[in-house]
Amino acid sequence: MKLIKWGIIGCGDVTEIKSGPAYQLTEGFEITAVMRRNLDKAKDYAKRHNISTYYNDADKLINDNNVDAVYIATPPDSHKDYAIKVAQAGKICCIEKPITPSYKDSLAILNAFETKNLPLYVAYYRRSLPRFLKIKSWLDAGEIGEVRHINWTFCKPPNNLDLHKTYNWRTDANIAKGGYFDDLASHGLDLFAFLLGNFKDAQGFCTNQQQLYEAYDAITASWIHENGITGSGSWNFGSGDRVDDITLFGSKGMIKFSIFQENPIQLIVDNSTESLVIEHPKHIQLYHVKGMRDELILSNFKHPSTGKTAVHTSWVMDKILGRL
């Protein structure tokens, strides 16, 4: 099998369990280099994960002749600069979500890779997880009839960083205008486009209720998909309890599930409920990573999470945040 050698820019927490081991466990992929601004931390990561080369300079990793593809796992405000350099180097790329903090910058990345006809992926890995593929199979089979509406309510209490007003890039308005909405809601909205088709229009109301940080902490939105399915959502990051409830309403029944909690997915038709527990893999990006291998090397798969699909999600996010 052909071997694709990957380099990782930003070998932080997300790469420890969620993604890094998935690349190492996928036949046909190998991690040959990692980069972190702190060289000692880059060295430590490389040693613990048996990776031969480490840098504290992203340009050196991008231009390393022993690196065929680059996975960018840094905070989103740095994605554009790194991604453009990867495109200029003529290499395959996968970017952590969201692709960038704005639709404009996301589109610039997509254009750079399309101009050079290079593969570009974004780590919206829920499109590849068995739990959500089962929901898609129910929809495709018409189990709830014609889909009418989707609603998502997501709430969580403030964490210790929030309460102590400790710096967190996820709530830095210069990096994430929507705060945790950017980081968390993007997963669900991207999945909705996968399950129900692209969005046609969206709008939202945004505010900061707690005044614990500069970014928004409460957002409500409504939208419509191109096929006429309507949607609504509410995200609040200062509530007393954690809630993650999604209901898909159809002409014959409904589907209930969560984005982040692994509670059962439920198909409810004619007062009868089918309830399934489908666990995630230990390394949650495994199926996403294997899908890239299947497309790039085996040529027997069309990957569901590309630069183009991620840019559409970026557009929806900006519409809800009132930036477009």
Side-chain angles (χ1 to χ4, degrees):
M1 183 182 289
K2 177 185 175 183
L3 181 67
I4 294 179
K5 299 176 180 180
W6 285 83
I8 300 178
I9 298 177
C11 47
D13 290 344
V14 72
T15 67
E16 290 285 355
I17 301 295
K18 289 184 176 181
S19 60
Y23 285 84
Q24 292 179 303
L25 291 169
T26 298
E27 185 181 4
F29 282 0
E30 178 184 343
I31 301 176
T32 56
V34 294
M35 173 269 169
R36 199 165 181 175
R37 286 178 296 179
N38 184 308
L39 190 61
D40 288 337
K41 289 183 177 181
K43 180 181 179 180
D44 173 70
Y45 184 96
K47 182 179 179 181
R48 287 186 292 104
H49 293 277
N50 298 311
I51 298 167
S52 59
T53 305
Y54 55 90
Y55 298 104
N56 63 351
D57 184 332
D59 290 346
K60 289 182 178 178
L61 181 142
I62 292 169
N63 294 294
D64 187 330
N65 291 329
N66 201 37
V67 170
D68 306 312
V70 178
Y71 166 41
I72 300 171
T74 55
D77 62 321
S78 62
H79 289 178
K80 180 185 176 183
D81 288 343
Y82 289 140
I84 296 296
K85 290 179 179 180
V86 174
Q88 291 171 343
K91 298 186 177 183
I92 300 162
C93 189
C94 180
I95 306 174
E96 262 305 322
K97 60 86 211 159
I99 180 170
T100 73
S102 74
Y103 171 65
K104 179 181 177 182
D105 285 348
S106 301
L107 192 60
I109 291 176
L110 179 63
N111 289 338
F113 280 84
E114 287 188 338
T115 297
K116 293 212 168 188
N117 196 29
L118 289 166
L120 174 63
Y121 304 94
V122 178
Y124 282 115
Y125 52 81
R126 278 171 173 76
R127 289 177 176 238
S128 299
L129 287 172
R131 170 183 173 87
F132 301 110
L133 291 177
K134 182 61 178 178
I135 294 169
K136 184 165 175 47
S137 74
W138 283 341
L139 294 171
D140 292 345
E143 295 287 355
I144 62 170
E146 295 183 11
V147 181
R148 303 299 193 202
H149 183 79
I150 187 168
N151 174 261
W152 184 17
T153 299
F154 182 87
C155 301
K156 65 180 285 292
N159 59 34
N160 287 332
L161 289 178
D162 303 333
L163 294 172
H164 291 93
K165 297 190 176 182
T166 304
Y167 179 79
N168 180 358
W169 66 262
R170 289 177 174 82
T171 54
D172 182 339
N174 294 317
I175 297 175
K177 180 73 171 177
Y180 294 113
F181 174 83
D182 285 15
D183 188 38
L184 300 176
S186 58
H187 269 298
L189 293 168
D190 182 82
L191 181 67
F192 298 164
F194 175 64
L195 294 175
L196 305 175
N198 280 350
F199 293 78
K200 180 181 179 181
D201 199 5
Q203 59 184 357
F205 293 96
C206 314
T207 189
N208 185 319
Q209 295 177 336
Q210 303 173 90
Q211 299 296 313
L212 294 176
Y213 40 76
E214 294 178 355
Y216 296 132
D217 64 10
I219 296 99
T220 62
S222 59
W223 61 84
I224 187 168
H225 293 264
E226 291 178 351
N227 52 19
I229 297 169
T230 58
S232 56
S234 176
W235 302 267
N236 193 289
F237 302 99
S239 65
D241 298 296
R242 186 178 180 93
V243 177
D244 181 10
D245 293 336
I246 295 171
T247 304
L248 265 165
F249 298 91
S251 60
K252 297 194 305 181
M254 64 180 70
I255 297 171
K256 290 180 173 290
F257 63 101
S258 298
I259 293 292
F260 301 105
Q261 297 174 342
E262 293 187 61
N263 54 321
I265 60 174
Q266 295 181 314
L267 173 64
I268 305 169
V269 180
D270 295 330
N271 296 318
S272 176
T273 300
E274 179 180 353
S275 184
L276 296 176
V277 175
I278 303 176
E279 296 181 352
H280 294 324
K282 177 181 178 181
H283 309 295
I284 201 165
Q285 292 197 23
L286 182 63
Y287 295 111
H288 166 81
V289 173
K290 285 187 173 181
M292 290 192 292
R293 183 275 313 275
D294 293 346
E295 181 168 83
L296 293 169
I297 298 177
L298 301 180
S299 301
N300 63 1
F301 184 71
K302 183 175 176 58
H303 204 285
S305 185
T306 65
K308 187 173 183 178
T309 63
V311 166
H312 180 67
T313 300
S314 183
W315 173 81
V316 174
M317 299 284 287
D318 268 13
K319 289 285 287 185
I320 291 172
L321 292 173
R323 293 162 54 139
L324 288 176

